[in-house]
Amino acid sequence: MASPVLVWFRDDYRLGDNPALAAAIETGAPVICLTILENAADGLRPMGAAARWWLHGSLKALDESLRKAGSRLLLLHGPALEAIEAVISATGASAIFWNRRYAAAEIALDSTIKKRLTDRGLSVQSFNGRLLNEPWQVLNQAGKPFQVFTPYLRAVLARPVEAPRPAPRTIPGTPWSKGMTALSVDLEGLGLRPTNPDWATEFGGTWQPGERNARQRLIDFLEGSLQGYALGRDAPARDATSRLSPHFRFGEISPRQVWRAVSHLVGERPELAPDAQKLLSEVVWRDFSYQLLHVYPHLPEKSHAPRFAKFPWDNDPKNLKAWQRGRTGYPIVDAGMRQLWRTGWMHNRVRMIVASFLVKHLLTDWRHGEAWFWDTLVDADPANNAFSWQWIAGSGPDSSPFHRIFNPVTQGEKFDPKGDYVRTFVPELAGVPANFIHKPWDAPASVLKDAGVELDKTYPGPIVPHGPARERALAAFRSLRDGEYGTELDR
Ligand SMILES: Cc1cc2nc3c(=O)[nH]c(=O)nc-3n(C[C@H](O)[C@H](O)[C@H](O)COP(=O)(O)OP(=O)(O)OC[C@H]3O[C@@H](n4cnc5c(N)ncnc54)[C@H](O)[C@@H]3O)c2cc1C
């Protein structure tokens, strides 16, 4: 019998449109499907707590799908090379297939593993399972990576999108030997989900990880909410966005699958084209983040614009804590931070508001915010999170200018005009009428009394006043402009 081949699943926990799995099956050899909980091994960034919660569900669902196809998931724990070499020793595997990943430490590790295994005589093949285009495929006329989104989007739209591969019905397998059984670890024993205390009690009611659920969410979204997405996506009280981000994060759905489904629908219902284009452009933002992460591997760790190295951050730990707990006294900020804590997700518009508030109103280094999001988001993504934080901070390769400082009151009034979003996540303000819900400190005493609100007792007053905080941020930024100039932001 032919020696088996390995498929190493990493953030591509699906059977459909999985090129590494498809190529392994095409060899005709028995396929062993494995994944490795690498955690902090090999310099990889440890996964945050909310993402670990998701990973548990994702791996469980993957194993179920594999079993339906006649295979099963071999779950390993520890440094990847050791784990893979142990499987090779136990099975005599002759080849390994994986889909690529793009954070610097991941690339370095994969290159090392590839070299070691190739030196041992194994065939190692990698594929694009995560993106529409590889970071090196979409280049400007000078043959360089794009630095700015709009021309990047134009270039992407001019390229064909590869058709997604169907999920295999069966996966040729091999019974597990004693050696393999000895290597496998038990998912439940890995402690990916919190128990004591279980801070994720609301996650289960909000999210269902897994490929089948990702597909269902896409179908529900396309049938129910795509119409009106372009406008509705900015209203946090409405369920108007796809909420596919954690499914994307764990590769339970591929951008090619989404592209295909959306294009197909627009073929049948051309009136949806403007909403569809907006959605697809968001999916391209995701590719763009990955492209930038690939070109600038330091994005999660360091401000890209050199002058931000000297930014006079205040970094007051009390302010950071108030922000994390949703107790800044700005209702839209607090609602967002509490949505994040309770559900592991936050609406995009509110992510922008809370991020701007932390960096600019509180003069807190964006990396503190990035780290908190990394720990608390179920969709915490190495490229999107770092890139988005630098975009808001004004320090990124393509970013919003620093002097664009969101006013949390007017943002709230514009995007949550009735205050429904605030009422959902800041229940102590539920009785405040819409005209004061985003600035309860302006409400007459009688209105607050009727609403059962006592500022600084039942709900905090503003942690910093908006006007002076804005001026302080601009002065801090000007101190950089008067000093050393970086090159990146001045284009
Ligand atoms: C400070 C900050 C941090 C963020 N951190 C993350 C993160 O860790 N992980 C993450 O996936 N997104 C992140 N985003 C981007 C965005 O907020 C989420 O992708 C979006 O809210 C997910 O909701 P959705 O799936 O309903 O999006 P939809 O509007 O339905 O969009 C569809 C898909 O497009 C992609 N997408 C949407 N908006 C963006 C964007 N601005 N940048 C890149 N891709 C996008 C996502 O994969 C999303 O699932 C961050 C944004 C900000 C401002």
Side-chain angles (χ1 to χ4, degrees):
M1 190 158 124
S3 49
V5 297
L6 309 179
V7 178
W8 177 14
F9 285 84
R10 319 94 64 82
D11 296 343
D12 52 357
Y13 304 123
R14 64 177 186 274
L15 270 50
D17 196 31
N18 188 323
L21 176 63
I25 293 172
E26 270 165 30
T27 63
V31 175
I32 295 171
C33 296
L34 63 89
T35 193
I36 308 168
L37 190 74
E38 299 165 88
N39 208 12
D42 299 310
L44 301 179
R45 187 175 188 180
M47 194 176 273
R52 284 163 67 87
W53 180 92
W54 191 285
L55 178 65
H56 179 107
S58 206
L59 295 181
K60 199 158 179 254
L62 177 66
D63 185 44
E64 283 164 13
S65 307
L66 286 171
R67 283 173 193 262
K68 280 193 195 133
S71 179
R72 64 192 281 202
L73 185 65
L74 175 61
L75 180 58
L76 307 161
H77 191 202
L81 181 59
E82 273 175 38
I84 292 167
E85 289 196 314
V87 176
I88 294 169
S89 301
T91 62
S94 60
I96 182 163
F97 298 77
W98 67 60
N99 294 313
R100 287 182 207 107
R101 47 190 186 173
Y102 303 91
E106 294 170 339
I107 294 174
L109 174 62
D110 289 352
S111 308
T112 307
I113 295 176
K114 185 170 184 173
K115 171 139 192 5
R116 279 284 286 274
L117 297 183
T118 314
D119 288 350
R120 271 183 75 162
L122 264 86
S123 156
V124 180
Q125 292 184 46
S126 60
F127 302 84
N128 171 13
R130 195 180 296 192
L131 303 171
L132 292 167
N133 295 289
E134 292 286 17
W136 48 89
Q137 283 179 324
V138 183
L139 301 173
N140 64 19
Q141 288 188 340
K144 298 247 166 66
F146 286 95
Q147 305 283 320
V148 177
F149 179 69
T150 308
Y152 177 82
L153 173 65
R154 238 181 276 126
V156 169
L157 293 176
R159 292 171 59 87
V161 171
E162 216 182 298
R165 295 159 182 76
R169 280 177 193 279
T170 55
I171 300 172
T174 173
W176 279 19
S177 62
K178 275 201 186 128
M180 277 170 73
T181 308
L183 291 174
S184 83
V185 294
D186 171 37
L187 177 62
E188 301 301 327
L190 285 175
L192 292 174
R193 292 212 162 158
T195 44
N196 195 13
D198 180 3
W199 42 260
T201 45
E202 269 190 56
F203 285 24
T206 314
W207 303 108
Q208 285 80 43
E211 181 177 10
R212 197 165 46 84
N213 294 316
R215 202 167 38 240
Q216 192 57 50
R217 189 170 275 280
L218 174 65
I219 292 168
D220 292 347
F221 172 71
L222 294 183
E223 285 174 358
S225 309
L226 179 62
Q227 185 158 24
Y229 168 81
L231 278 179
R233 63 186 285 276
D234 264 327
R238 289 179 47 192
D239 196 9
T241 66
S242 72
R243 293 179 177 243
L244 282 170
S245 51
H247 297 290
F248 270 125
R249 159 66 184 82
F250 288 92
E252 297 169 353
I253 198 160
S254 82
R256 292 184 289 247
Q257 290 173 319
V258 172
W259 202 276
R260 162 65 71 92
V262 172
S263 308
H264 181 76
L265 182 64
V266 171
E268 288 178 347
R269 297 181 54 195
E271 76 278 9
L272 291 178
D275 291 314
Q277 275 158 14
K278 189 69 198 159
L279 179 76
L280 294 180
S281 79
E282 296 306 322
V283 176
V284 176
W285 268 109
R286 177 175 172 276
D287 260 40
F288 185 56
S289 303
Y290 271 91
Q291 189 231 237
L292 290 172
L293 178 66
H294 188 252
V295 180
Y296 303 118
H298 56 257
L299 271 192
E301 282 131 36
K302 203 169 106 194
S303 289
H304 177 71
R307 63 180 152 185
F308 273 79
K310 294 196 178 147
F311 197 94
W313 301 114
D314 184 42
N315 284 339
D316 181 336
K318 279 200 308 301
N319 286 346
L320 177 61
K321 189 146 265 180
W323 178 82
Q324 290 170 336
R325 302 236 157 119
R327 296 195 57 79
T328 67
Y330 285 94
I332 191 81
V333 174
D334 294 342
M337 297 309 293
R338 295 186 201 183
Q339 179 181 33
L340 175 61
W341 183 254
R342 276 171 51 184
T343 70
W345 186 88
M346 193 195 303
H347 187 276
N348 179 61
R349 167 56 51 181
V350 192
R351 289 189 204 203
M352 293 198 286
I353 299 170
V354 304
S356 168
F357 187 84
L358 182 74
V359 172
K360 296 170 186 179
H361 286 74
L362 301 182
L363 277 194
T364 298
D365 190 331
W366 62 266
R367 283 170 286 202
H368 290 293
E370 196 271 349
W372 183 252
F373 272 30
W374 181 261
D375 199 33
T376 53
L377 277 172
V378 285
D379 65 24
D381 179 285
N384 278 359
N385 198 34
F387 170 72
S388 300
W389 273 95
Q390 295 233 33
W391 190 88
I392 291 285
S395 60
D398 174 2
S399 52
S400 169
F402 185 91
H403 58 76
R404 192 182 297 158
I405 298 178
F406 285 133
N407 177 335
V409 176
T410 51
Q411 286 283 309
E413 289 171 343
K414 183 166 177 197
F415 296 109
D416 184 31
K418 294 190 190 145
D420 293 341
Y421 178 73
V422 166
R423 286 194 187 87
T424 304
F425 293 105
V426 188
E428 63 267 40
L429 295 179
V432 179
N435 52 338
F436 291 114
I437 195 148
H438 293 290
K439 45 180 180 193
W441 56 88
D442 270 357
S446 60
V447 170
L448 289 182
K449 191 159 178 260
D450 286 352
V453 175
E454 265 189 85
L455 281 183
D456 288 325
K457 282 203 180 137
T458 61
Y459 182 71
I463 186 172
V464 286
H466 168 68
R470 184 173 183 281
E471 287 313 313
R472 183 175 71 144
L474 290 174
F477 184 60
R478 255 183 251 119
S479 74
L480 297 182
R481 297 190 70 85
D482 293 342
E484 185 190 334
Y485 270 73
T487 50
E488 306 294 343
L489 277 177
D490 298 319
R491 282 202 200 101

